[in-house]
PDB file of all heavy atoms in Angstrom:
ATOM      1  N   PRO A  17     -54.944 224.304-115.849  1.00  0.00           N
ATOM      2  CA  PRO A  17     -54.310 223.622-114.711  1.00  0.00           C
ATOM      3  C   PRO A  17     -52.833 223.300-114.918  1.00  0.00           C
ATOM      4  O   PRO A  17     -52.099 223.150-113.931  1.00  0.00           O
ATOM      5  CB  PRO A  17     -55.129 222.347-114.571  1.00  0.00           C
ATOM      6  CG  PRO A  17     -55.742 222.125-115.903  1.00  0.00           C
ATOM      7  CD  PRO A  17     -55.971 223.487-116.479  1.00  0.00           C
ATOM      8  N   ASP A  18     -52.355 223.226-116.150  1.00  0.00           N
ATOM      9  CA  ASP A  18     -50.971 222.848-116.407  1.00  0.00           C
ATOM     10  C   ASP A  18     -50.021 224.036-116.552  1.00  0.00           C
ATOM     11  O   ASP A  18     -48.823 223.850-116.729  1.00  0.00           O
ATOM     12  CB  ASP A  18     -50.886 221.990-117.673  1.00  0.00           C
ATOM     13  CG  ASP A  18     -51.623 220.677-117.513  1.00  0.00           C
ATOM     14  OD1 ASP A  18     -51.699 220.161-116.373  1.00  0.00           O
ATOM     15  OD2 ASP A  18     -52.138 220.163-118.519  1.00  0.00           O
ATOM     16  N   ILE A  19     -50.554 225.244-116.480  1.00  0.00           N
ATOM     17  CA  ILE A  19     -49.710 226.424-116.625  1.00  0.00           C
ATOM     18  C   ILE A  19     -49.308 226.931-115.242  1.00  0.00           C
ATOM     19  O   ILE A  19     -50.161 227.248-114.410  1.00  0.00           O
ATOM     20  CB  ILE A  19     -50.448 227.541-117.399  1.00  0.00           C
ATOM     21  CG1 ILE A  19     -50.752 227.073-118.818  1.00  0.00           C
ATOM     22  CG2 ILE A  19     -49.611 228.819-117.414  1.00  0.00           C
ATOM     23  CD1 ILE A  19     -51.534 228.065-119.641  1.00  0.00           C
ATOM     24  N   PRO A  20     -47.990 226.996-114.974  1.00  0.00           N
ATOM     25  CA  PRO A  20     -47.533 227.517-113.679  1.00  0.00           C
ATOM     26  C   PRO A  20     -47.956 228.980-113.506  1.00  0.00           C
ATOM     27  O   PRO A  20     -47.973 229.750-114.464  1.00  0.00           O
ATOM     28  CB  PRO A  20     -46.013 227.409-113.768  1.00  0.00           C
ATOM     29  CG  PRO A  20     -45.749 226.424-114.846  1.00  0.00           C
ATOM     30  CD  PRO A  20     -46.888 226.559-115.818  1.00  0.00           C
ATOM     31  N   ILE A  21     -48.281 229.337-112.276  1.00  0.00           N
ATOM     32  CA  ILE A  21     -48.740 230.692-111.981  1.00  0.00           C
ATOM     33  C   ILE A  21     -47.861 231.320-110.908  1.00  0.00           C
ATOM     34  O   ILE A  21     -47.592 230.713-109.878  1.00  0.00           O
ATOM     35  CB  ILE A  21     -50.203 230.681-111.495  1.00  0.00           C
ATOM     36  CG1 ILE A  21     -51.114 230.160-112.608  1.00  0.00           C
ATOM     37  CG2 ILE A  21     -50.637 232.073-111.040  1.00  0.00           C
ATOM     38  CD1 ILE A  21     -52.530 229.939-112.164  1.00  0.00           C
ATOM     39  N   LEU A  22     -47.424 232.541-111.171  1.00  0.00           N
ATOM     40  CA  LEU A  22     -46.691 233.344-110.201  1.00  0.00           C
ATOM     41  C   LEU A  22     -47.494 234.621-109.999  1.00  0.00           C
ATOM     42  O   LEU A  22     -47.650 235.419-110.927  1.00  0.00           O
ATOM     43  CB  LEU A  22     -45.288 233.673-110.708  1.00  0.00           C
ATOM     44  CG  LEU A  22     -44.463 234.635-109.859  1.00  0.00           C
ATOM     45  CD1 LEU A  22     -44.234 234.076-108.457  1.00  0.00           C
ATOM     46  CD2 LEU A  22     -43.158 234.953-110.552  1.00  0.00           C
ATOM     47  N   LEU A  23     -48.035 234.796-108.818  1.00  0.00           N
ATOM     48  CA  LEU A  23     -48.826 235.991-108.510  1.00  0.00           C
ATOM     49  C   LEU A  23     -47.904 237.106-108.031  1.00  0.00           C
ATOM     50  O   LEU A  23     -46.951 236.865-107.300  1.00  0.00           O
ATOM     51  CB  LEU A  23     -49.847 235.678-107.425  1.00  0.00           C
ATOM     52  CG  LEU A  23     -50.882 234.608-107.756  1.00  0.00           C
ATOM     53  CD1 LEU A  23     -51.700 234.277-106.536  1.00  0.00           C
ATOM     54  CD2 LEU A  23     -51.768 235.065-108.890  1.00  0.00           C
ATOM     55  N   MET A  24     -48.212 238.339-108.454  1.00  0.00           N
ATOM     56  CA  MET A  24     -47.457 239.514-108.033  1.00  0.00           C
ATOM     57  C   MET A  24     -48.431 240.609-107.648  1.00  0.00           C
ATOM     58  O   MET A  24     -49.405 240.834-108.365  1.00  0.00           O
ATOM     59  CB  MET A  24     -46.573 240.010-109.172  1.00  0.00           C
ATOM     60  CG  MET A  24     -45.499 239.069-109.581  1.00  0.00           C
ATOM     61  SD  MET A  24     -44.593 239.742-110.979  1.00  0.00           S
ATOM     62  CE  MET A  24     -44.781 238.400-112.128  1.00  0.00           C
ATOM     63  N   SER A  25     -48.158 241.251-106.527  1.00  0.00           N
ATOM     64  CA  SER A  25     -49.032 242.337-106.103  1.00  0.00           C
ATOM     65  C   SER A  25     -48.361 243.184-105.037  1.00  0.00           C
ATOM     66  O   SER A  25     -47.483 242.711-104.322  1.00  0.00           O
ATOM     67  CB  SER A  25     -50.334 241.768-105.538  1.00  0.00           C
ATOM     68  OG  SER A  25     -51.155 242.815-105.064  1.00  0.00           O
ATOM     69  N   GLY A  26     -48.810 244.408-104.968  1.00  0.00           N
ATOM     70  CA  GLY A  26     -48.393 245.283-103.884  1.00  0.00           C
ATOM     71  C   GLY A  26     -49.337 245.167-102.701  1.00  0.00           C
ATOM     72  O   GLY A  26     -49.082 245.686-101.626  1.00  0.00           O
ATOM     73  N   TYR A  27     -50.434 244.465-102.912  1.00  0.00           N
ATOM     74  CA  TYR A  27     -51.445 244.261-101.886  1.00  0.00           C
ATOM     75  C   TYR A  27     -51.696 242.766-101.742  1.00  0.00           C
ATOM     76  O   TYR A  27     -52.189 242.138-102.665  1.00  0.00           O
ATOM     77  CB  TYR A  27     -52.757 244.954-102.270  1.00  0.00           C
ATOM     78  CG  TYR A  27     -52.577 246.412-102.544  1.00  0.00           C
ATOM     79  CD1 TYR A  27     -52.387 246.880-103.831  1.00  0.00           C
ATOM     80  CD2 TYR A  27     -52.564 247.336-101.502  1.00  0.00           C
ATOM     81  CE1 TYR A  27     -52.199 248.228-104.098  1.00  0.00           C
ATOM     82  CE2 TYR A  27     -52.371 248.682-101.749  1.00  0.00           C
ATOM     83  CZ  TYR A  27     -52.195 249.121-103.042  1.00  0.00           C
ATOM     84  OH  TYR A  27     -52.009 250.446-103.280  1.00  0.00           O
ATOM     85  N   ALA A  28     -51.365 242.221-100.605  1.00  0.00           N
ATOM     86  CA  ALA A  28     -51.480 240.769-100.414  1.00  0.00           C
ATOM     87  C   ALA A  28     -52.476 240.465 -99.300  1.00  0.00           C
ATOM     88  O   ALA A  28     -52.106 240.186 -98.175  1.00  0.00           O
ATOM     89  CB  ALA A  28     -50.122 240.188-100.076  1.00  0.00           C
ATOM     90  N   THR A  29     -53.745 240.522 -99.629  1.00  0.00           N
ATOM     91  CA  THR A  29     -54.751 240.295 -98.597  1.00  0.00           C
ATOM     92  C   THR A  29     -55.342 238.899 -98.626  1.00  0.00           C
ATOM     93  O   THR A  29     -55.702 238.371 -97.592  1.00  0.00           O
ATOM     94  CB  THR A  29     -55.898 241.317 -98.729  1.00  0.00           C
ATOM     95  OG1 THR A  29     -56.450 241.212-100.039  1.00  0.00           O
ATOM     96  CG2 THR A  29     -55.388 242.717 -98.488  1.00  0.00           C
ATOM     97  N   ASP A  30     -55.446 238.293 -99.798  1.00  0.00           N
ATOM     98  CA  ASP A  30     -56.076 236.972 -99.872  1.00  0.00           C
ATOM     99  C   ASP A  30     -55.313 236.026-100.802  1.00  0.00           C
ATOM    100  O   ASP A  30     -55.874 235.393-101.668  1.00  0.00           O
ATOM    101  CB  ASP A  30     -57.534 237.075-100.320  1.00  0.00           C
ATOM    102  CG  ASP A  30     -57.673 237.586-101.748  1.00  0.00           C
ATOM    103  OD1 ASP A  30     -56.691 238.148-102.278  1.00  0.00           O
ATOM    104  OD2 ASP A  30     -58.748 237.400-102.321  1.00  0.00           O
ATOM    105  N   VAL A  31     -54.006 235.945-100.607  1.00  0.00           N
ATOM    106  CA  VAL A  31     -53.166 235.111-101.454  1.00  0.00           C
ATOM    107  C   VAL A  31     -53.227 233.669-100.965  1.00  0.00           C
ATOM    108  O   VAL A  31     -52.954 233.392 -99.803  1.00  0.00           O
ATOM    109  CB  VAL A  31     -51.707 235.604-101.426  1.00  0.00           C
ATOM    110  CG1 VAL A  31     -50.827 234.712-102.266  1.00  0.00           C
ATOM    111  CG2 VAL A  31     -51.629 237.039-101.901  1.00  0.00           C
ATOM    112  N   PRO A  32     -53.588 232.735-101.840  1.00  0.00           N
ATOM    113  CA  PRO A  32     -53.585 231.332-101.437  1.00  0.00           C
ATOM    114  C   PRO A  32     -52.175 230.907-101.045  1.00  0.00           C
ATOM    115  O   PRO A  32     -51.201 231.343-101.651  1.00  0.00           O
ATOM    116  CB  PRO A  32     -54.040 230.588-102.691  1.00  0.00           C
ATOM    117  CG  PRO A  32     -54.706 231.607-103.537  1.00  0.00           C
ATOM    118  CD  PRO A  32     -54.051 232.911-103.211  1.00  0.00           C
ATOM    119  N   THR A  33     -52.060 230.054-100.058  1.00  0.00           N
ATOM    120  CA  THR A  33     -50.742 229.655 -99.573  1.00  0.00           C
ATOM    121  C   THR A  33     -50.125 228.531-100.386  1.00  0.00           C
ATOM    122  O   THR A  33     -48.972 228.194-100.174  1.00  0.00           O
ATOM    123  CB  THR A  33     -50.824 229.211 -98.102  1.00  0.00           C
ATOM    124  OG1 THR A  33     -51.752 228.129 -98.010  1.00  0.00           O
ATOM    125  CG2 THR A  33     -51.242 230.341 -97.215  1.00  0.00           C
ATOM    126  N   ASP A  34     -50.858 227.951-101.313  1.00  0.00           N
ATOM    127  CA  ASP A  34     -50.323 226.835-102.095  1.00  0.00           C
ATOM    128  C   ASP A  34     -49.794 227.268-103.455  1.00  0.00           C
ATOM    129  O   ASP A  34     -49.782 226.508-104.396  1.00  0.00           O
ATOM    130  CB  ASP A  34     -51.393 225.766-102.276  1.00  0.00           C
ATOM    131  CG  ASP A  34     -52.584 226.265-103.087  1.00  0.00           C
ATOM    132  OD1 ASP A  34     -52.759 227.485-103.182  1.00  0.00           O
ATOM    133  OD2 ASP A  34     -53.323 225.424-103.613  1.00  0.00           O
ATOM    134  N   ASN A  35     -49.328 228.496-103.569  1.00  0.00           N
ATOM    135  CA  ASN A  35     -48.789 228.957-104.847  1.00  0.00           C
ATOM    136  C   ASN A  35     -47.657 229.940-104.623  1.00  0.00           C
ATOM    137  O   ASN A  35     -47.388 230.353-103.508  1.00  0.00           O
ATOM    138  CB  ASN A  35     -49.891 229.607-105.693  1.00  0.00           C
ATOM    139  CG  ASN A  35     -50.448 230.822-105.018  1.00  0.00           C
ATOM    140  OD1 ASN A  35     -49.760 231.815-104.868  1.00  0.00           O
ATOM    141  ND2 ASN A  35     -51.676 230.765-104.569  1.00  0.00           N
ATOM    142  N   ALA A  36     -47.015 230.318-105.699  1.00  0.00           N
ATOM    143  CA  ALA A  36     -45.914 231.269-105.623  1.00  0.00           C
ATOM    144  C   ALA A  36     -46.460 232.691-105.646  1.00  0.00           C
ATOM    145  O   ALA A  36     -47.335 233.019-106.437  1.00  0.00           O
ATOM    146  CB  ALA A  36     -44.970 231.041-106.795  1.00  0.00           C
ATOM    147  N   PHE A  37     -45.920 233.510-104.787  1.00  0.00           N
ATOM    148  CA  PHE A  37     -46.347 234.898-104.694  1.00  0.00           C
ATOM    149  C   PHE A  37     -45.123 235.779-104.541  1.00  0.00           C
ATOM    150  O   PHE A  37     -44.206 235.470-103.785  1.00  0.00           O
ATOM    151  CB  PHE A  37     -47.280 235.112-103.506  1.00  0.00           C
ATOM    152  CG  PHE A  37     -47.659 236.550-103.323  1.00  0.00           C
ATOM    153  CD1 PHE A  37     -48.598 237.137-104.146  1.00  0.00           C
ATOM    154  CD2 PHE A  37     -47.061 237.322-102.352  1.00  0.00           C
ATOM    155  CE1 PHE A  37     -48.943 238.472-104.006  1.00  0.00           C
ATOM    156  CE2 PHE A  37     -47.395 238.653-102.197  1.00  0.00           C
ATOM    157  CZ  PHE A  37     -48.339 239.229-103.019  1.00  0.00           C
ATOM    158  N   LEU A  38     -45.104 236.877-105.255  1.00  0.00           N
ATOM    159  CA  LEU A  38     -44.019 237.832-105.193  1.00  0.00           C
ATOM    160  C   LEU A  38     -44.609 239.198-104.869  1.00  0.00           C
ATOM    161  O   LEU A  38     -45.455 239.709-105.596  1.00  0.00           O
ATOM    162  CB  LEU A  38     -43.300 237.865-106.548  1.00  0.00           C
ATOM    163  CG  LEU A  38     -41.967 238.572-106.630  1.00  0.00           C
ATOM    164  CD1 LEU A  38     -40.972 238.006-105.620  1.00  0.00           C
ATOM    165  CD2 LEU A  38     -41.406 238.443-108.036  1.00  0.00           C
ATOM    166  N   ALA A  39     -44.181 239.751-103.747  1.00  0.00           N
ATOM    167  CA  ALA A  39     -44.695 241.051-103.308  1.00  0.00           C
ATOM    168  C   ALA A  39     -43.887 242.175-103.947  1.00  0.00           C
ATOM    169  O   ALA A  39     -42.661 242.121-104.008  1.00  0.00           O
ATOM    170  CB  ALA A  39     -44.630 241.151-101.792  1.00  0.00           C
ATOM    171  N   LYS A  40     -44.599 243.190-104.439  1.00  0.00           N
ATOM    172  CA  LYS A  40     -43.948 244.373-104.995  1.00  0.00           C
ATOM    173  C   LYS A  40     -43.543 245.291-103.861  1.00  0.00           C
ATOM    174  O   LYS A  40     -44.251 245.358-102.862  1.00  0.00           O
ATOM    175  CB  LYS A  40     -44.911 245.111-105.922  1.00  0.00           C
ATOM    176  CG  LYS A  40     -45.301 244.360-107.149  1.00  0.00           C
ATOM    177  CD  LYS A  40     -46.269 245.230-107.940  1.00  0.00           C
ATOM    178  CE  LYS A  40     -47.012 244.491-108.994  1.00  0.00           C
ATOM    179  NZ  LYS A  40     -48.021 245.321-109.647  1.00  0.00           N
TER     180      LYS A  40
END
Side-chain angles (χ1 to χ4, degrees):
D18 296 330
I19 297 177
I21 297 172
L22 174 61
L23 299 172
M24 295 177 236
S25 177
Y27 304 95
T29 57
D30 66 344
V31 178
T33 58
D34 64 340
N35 63 67
F37 176 77
L38 192 56
K40 295 179 195 174

